Amino acid sequence: MFDIIHIIHLYAAFIYGGFLIVDNLFMSKMGESLSAEEATKAREAIMMHVRKIVPWALLTAVGTGIYMFIGVFGQIGADGMSSFQILLSIKAFFGLWLGFRGFNQKFFGINPWVFKSHLFPFILVLIIIFLSQAMFISF
Ligand code: HEM
């Protein structure tokens, strides 16, 4: 069961992170070769499909993440948290923040909480992916 949830987590992270990468690196440049009106139209032609899938991918990443967190965090030892527990907690905090923003946006129409542009989630996803690997190295 854990392995299946883990794989679903990875796919969801790929879909969510993949959109942010395409948006920040490529879609944001559409205005360079299209007029403002064309760029808005082109962006909307993509975003109408993005809105059907990407928020669900984020919520799936958060849901499966919480499931795995409960399974792998373990007991805090007498000499404090392990490096795995520290980095996983930071990663979970950032992931939950993104999830909270996404949930508010999807279900309550509240536009991104605290930070408005997609640059902020993009940077958080890069940090989360780094932490997701770094947490397995003990220091
Ligand atoms: C947008 C949000 C998220 C992204 C992009 C993301 C991405 C990733 C990635 C790339 C991995 C590495 C898997 C591997 O190398 O085996 C991972 C693992 C993990 N994630 Fe997330 N994650 C997100 C949210 C969360 C949240 C909110 C939590 C917890 C509350 C969480 C908990 C975990 C756990 C516990 C693992 C490690 C499982 C193990 O021990 O193998 N994730 N995540």
Side-chain angles (χ1 to χ4, degrees), residues 2 6 9-10 13 16 58 61-62 65-66 68-69 72 84 88 91-92 95-96 98 125 128-129 132-133 135-136:
F2 186 91
H6 192 171
H9 188 72
L10 279 183
Y16 177 68
L58 170 60
V62 172
I66 292 171
M68 291 194 295
F69 185 97
V72 299
F84 173 74
L88 175 59
K91 174 209 143 96
L96 290 170
L98 286 178
V125 161
I128 288 176
I129 292 174
S132 300
Q133 299 306 312
M135 67 191 186
F136 294 113

Side-chain angles (χ1 to χ4, degrees), residues 3 6-7 46 50 58-59 61-62 70-71 73 75 79 87 91-93 105 114 116 131:
D3 291 337
H6 192 171
I7 293 168
I46 296 171
V50 166
L58 170 60
L59 296 179
V62 172
I70 294 165
F73 190 82
Q75 295 290 323
D79 41 349
L87 295 187
K91 174 209 143 96
F93 173 76
Q105 196 174 7
V114 184
K116 281 204 175 293
L131 290 174

Side-chain angles (χ1 to χ4, degrees), residues 6-71:
H6 192 171
I7 293 168
I8 294 173
H9 188 72
L10 279 183
Y11 275 121
F14 260 97
I15 295 170
Y16 177 68
F19 163 67
L20 288 171
I21 290 168
V22 170
D23 187 28
N24 281 278
L25 296 186
F26 310 122
M27 277 165 62
S28 60
K29 307 280 191 305
M30 285 193 300
E32 289 175 13
S33 50
L34 300 174
S35 70
E37 197 192 327
E38 283 171 336
T40 310
K41 236 174 139 182
R43 189 181 163 80
E44 186 48 32
I46 296 171
M47 288 306 291
M48 61 189 275
H49 301 292
V50 166
R51 282 187 210 107
K52 287 183 206 150
I53 294 181
V54 172
W56 295 113
L58 170 60
L59 296 179
T60 304
V62 172
T64 50
I66 292 171
Y67 176 91
M68 291 194 295
F69 185 97
I70 294 165

